[in-house]
Amino acid sequence: MLSIIIPTEGIEGPAVATLAALVPGAATGVVREVLLIDRANNGVIERVADVAGCRFLAFEGSCAEALTAGARQARSPWLMFLHAGAVLDHGWIDETVQFIQRVSNSERARAGVFRYARSPYSDRTFRDGLRFIGRTIAGPFADQGLLIARDHYERLGGHALNARHPEARLLRRLGRSSLTLLHSRIVMS
């Protein structure tokens, strides 16, 4: 049902935190596959993928090219893009299934993003306040993940290869009217 694409930079900790939150989804059959795309190519993420039973893709190129390559290799009709270090709330599985069913039965193409939650263990900074204001005014940020049907992603042209911030550009192309803010929270570890 769902392919999850996680770009990494060769650091084990954030990737493992994200994978741990995805285990219940794999156990219930919602997650068909997880692709770890590593641009650092230092062998660390390849070992993590091997231990976790994920697909591994070493990639040299821009973030946009890596995300696009991951989407091309994914086998499922639904894609979820997550940053390494993103930890989903426990209710994400049921909500994701309901969202996919609702959109599949609808005439209108939609994509979903998770509700951002600051880690309870991090100190509050001025930058956090600015990011909160930015999310309120501009809409969701790329660190909120993206749940999108493969055909909708392809109709939009995927991640813009020449964009400085390809994930933000894709979210802008989707627009607020076709984005659903899911209730499940996402925390960056």
Side-chain angles (χ1 to χ4, degrees):
M1 178 185 285
L2 180 63
S3 292
I4 300 179
I5 300 158
I6 305 170
T8 67
E9 297 294 333
I11 303 170
E12 180 178 2
V16 170
T18 301
L19 292 173
L22 300 177
V23 169
T28 60
V30 172
V31 176
R32 177 178 182 184
E33 66 182 342
V34 176
L35 290 94
L36 294 177
I37 305 166
D38 186 40
R39 295 186 322 150
N41 204 12
N42 60 8
V44 171
I45 299 301
E46 186 172 13
R47 285 189 300 277
V48 169
D50 184 49
V51 169
C54 301
R55 291 179 58 203
F56 173 76
L57 177 62
F59 197 83
E60 293 180 17
S62 71
C63 181
E65 292 168 330
L67 292 166
T68 300
R72 274 193 215 116
Q73 295 235 349
R75 300 181 197 135
S76 301
W78 280 84
L79 307 173
M80 182 186 290
F81 296 93
L82 295 175
H83 286 190
V87 177
L88 295 170
D89 232 357
H90 65 288
W92 76 270
I93 299 166
D94 292 335
E95 186 172 22
T96 298
V97 169
Q98 290 172 13
F99 177 78
I100 289 172
Q101 289 172 346
R102 214 172 32 247
V103 172
S104 297
N105 294 332
S106 169
E107 298 285 320
R108 189 170 174 216
R110 299 198 58 79
V113 294
F114 294 95
R115 190 173 304 278
Y116 179 80
R118 197 175 58 78
S119 172
Y121 306 109
S122 66
D123 294 328
R124 203 170 273 246
T125 65
F126 180 71
R127 186 174 183 197
D128 292 331
L130 291 177
R131 289 179 67 82
F132 173 77
I133 293 168
R135 287 179 206 282
T136 304
I137 295 170
F141 286 8
D143 60 359
Q144 290 178 241
L146 178 64
L147 175 62
I148 188 168
R150 173 193 293 284
D151 60 344
H152 188 131
Y153 176 81
E154 290 171 353
R155 275 194 310 273
L156 289 169
H159 289 88
L161 298 179
N162 60 348
R164 185 170 177 193
H165 301 286
E167 294 169 297
R169 168 99 45 101
L170 179 59
L171 288 172
R172 280 196 306 274
R173 278 191 308 206
L174 282 163
R176 283 187 179 210
S177 63
S178 69
L179 275 176
T180 298
L181 182 61
L182 302 170
H183 294 287
S184 299
R185 294 178 308 156
I186 190 167
V187 175
M188 291 302 293
S189 65

